[in-house]
Amino acid sequence: MKIETERKFLVKNMDFLAEAVGSHSIAQGYIAHDGGNTVRVRLLDGQGIMTVKGSSHGGISRMEWEKEISAQDFKDLLQVCHGSVIEKTRYIIPAGQAAVSESHSTHGKDRFFEVDVFHGDNEGLVMAEIELGNEEENFPRPSWLGEEVTGDKRYYNSYLTIRPYKTW
């Protein structure tokens, strides 16, 4: 299993689109979520993925396990998910290389922002995430990057299935 270290931000405007090097269509649902632990099924460009995420400390770092599943398995498992289905387009934006850190082995690794433009019940919400090598790693802050919402449960996808953005 790996530890995922990521930070989340609201996005001020759509200027990031000019920097996008790719995009993905995503649909996902949550089979379970309790105390920071989640079990998610996702369809990413037609490929199914099951993900288990463990409790986080402050919302930045958490355990993550993933396994590919078939698109049919995704559809079947979606029937036992709680709340609504998350629908979004994810844009990939280069963020440069990781800061040099011998102690955390982040030397020279390319970083990317993943900007999610939500559809359906969460239309209007646009969030950016960046996965880091450690919690102290520095990274560029483009002008379109807004307020940090790391650790704010309202912006967790699992929360958005129960309390969609449009209902706030």
Side-chain angles (χ1 to χ4, degrees):
M1 280 185 258
K2 72 174 193 165
I3 300 294
E4 173 187 64
T5 301
E6 71 180 10
R7 305 212 13 215
K8 288 185 174 204
F9 299 84
L10 296 178
V11 173
K12 294 179 190 177
N13 56 53
M14 302 299 274
D15 290 352
F16 67 88
L17 288 170
E19 303 170 43
V21 295
S23 66
H24 303 284
S25 175
I26 298 174
Q28 66 189 42
Y30 287 82
I31 295 170
H33 54 94
D34 181 44
N37 299 314
T38 61
V39 178
R40 172 185 78 200
V41 291
R42 171 181 278 176
L43 194 64
L44 173 70
D45 295 334
Q47 174 61 57
I49 303 167
M50 176 177 272
T51 305
V52 177
K53 290 191 178 194
S55 295
S56 65
H57 304 285
I60 296 175
S61 295
R62 49 194 312 206
M63 180 279 300
E64 180 181 68
W65 174 88
E66 289 188 326
K67 181 160 181 65
E68 284 189 18
I69 60 174
S70 70
Q72 186 58 53
D73 285 345
F74 166 80
K75 290 175 188 171
D76 293 344
L77 289 168
L78 202 58
Q79 302 305 308
V80 297
C81 288
H82 302 283
S84 62
V85 174
I86 299 284
E87 300 170 275
K88 58 189 178 181
T89 302
R90 171 166 288 170
Y91 295 91
I92 309 302
I93 315 298
Q97 289 197 337
V100 176
S101 172
E102 299 304 322
S103 62
H104 290 93
S105 68
T106 58
H107 180 72
K109 184 172 181 191
D110 289 334
R111 298 285 182 228
F112 296 89
F113 285 102
E114 297 177 334
V115 180
D116 291 340
V117 177
F118 289 79
H119 310 293
D121 291 342
N122 292 292
E123 187 81 35
L125 180 59
V126 182
M127 281 194 304
E129 298 178 353
I130 186 166
E131 192 166 325
L132 304 170
N134 63 72
E135 293 183 15
E136 292 81 34
E137 184 179 323
N138 291 319
F139 58 93
R141 312 264 176 144
S143 61
W144 47 261
L145 199 65
E147 173 189 353
E148 183 166 7
V149 294
T150 303
D152 185 336
K153 293 180 181 180
R154 293 176 302 162
Y155 295 100
Y156 290 0
N157 283 281
S158 59
Y159 183 85
L160 292 170
T161 64
I162 297 167
R163 295 275 324 267
Y165 183 69
K166 283 185 174 182
T167 66
W168 299 3

